Amino acid sequence: MAPEPDLIAAVQARLIAHLPFAGLLGLTVTRLSPTSATVRLPWRDDLCNHLGGHHAGAIFTAGETAGAALLSLISLSNGGRAVVMDAVIRFITSSKAELYATASFGGQSAGERIPGVDGADAYLPIRVRLQDDAGREIAELTMTGRISPMRADG
């Protein structure tokens, strides 16, 4: 089952509130499901490197933000809070077009309870594929997200 549009808006608002750099880059959540999230990185001259392609930092941020969007949905669904623990990127080729970063994982779906969130941290492996608007693979990012139960101290 797909999340309601207001939940997608809540995830987008949460990302911009907690990751203002994502807003500066113009990143937007374009698709959200219980097992994946897609974030769009626009094509803008100010996001390019000296070779005229997307800057590596912008590409990495798009990938990390897609993973954060998926983690946000999971944490909202489970009453926990999310943080990215680590991330590694492999660049495949340069990009001179809009990029779409799609994060997914092979475990729990966001609508299900995550084991351990009721009292301990849960660690989730996430894979992010970054493709241009023609579907050409630009980079791949792997990351680990942690969902922690909400604590009284916030």
Side-chain angles (χ1 to χ4, degrees):
M1 171 190 290
E4 295 297 320
D6 51 338
L7 186 56
I8 294 172
V11 168
Q12 177 76 29
R14 181 185 247 197
L15 287 175
I16 300 306
H18 293 276
L19 306 171
F21 188 56
L24 183 67
L25 294 180
L27 299 176
T28 54
V29 177
T30 61
R31 189 173 58 81
L32 197 56
S33 78
T35 57
S36 69
T38 300
V39 167
R40 176 186 165 271
L41 173 65
W43 174 256
R44 293 190 338 227
D45 288 340
D46 64 331
L47 300 179
C48 293
N49 61 24
H50 65 288
L51 300 173
H54 269 120
H55 188 280
I59 295 170
F60 180 89
T61 302
E64 191 268 348
T65 302
L70 183 57
L71 287 171
S72 290
L73 177 61
I74 294 167
S75 67
L76 284 170
S77 299
N78 284 274
R81 62 181 172 185
V83 66
V84 174
M85 298 302 295
D86 60 43
V88 176
I89 194 163
R90 180 176 69 89
F91 295 101
I92 299 167
T93 191
S94 64
S95 165
K96 294 186 178 185
E98 287 183 351
L99 287 185
Y100 293 88
T102 301
S104 60
F105 64 103
Q108 300 289 123
S109 132
E112 300 175 36
R113 293 297 297 172
I114 303 289
V117 172
D118 292 322
D121 294 347
Y123 293 86
L124 304 170
I126 297 171
R127 178 175 180 248
V128 184
R129 296 183 65 204
L130 293 107
Q131 298 177 310
D132 65 15
D133 55 5
R136 200 170 50 116
E137 193 158 6
I138 303 301
E140 181 178 74
L141 185 137
T142 54
M143 58 194 281
T144 304
R146 183 181 77 200
I147 306 292
S148 300
M150 288 301 248
R151 295 178 175 86
D153 63 358

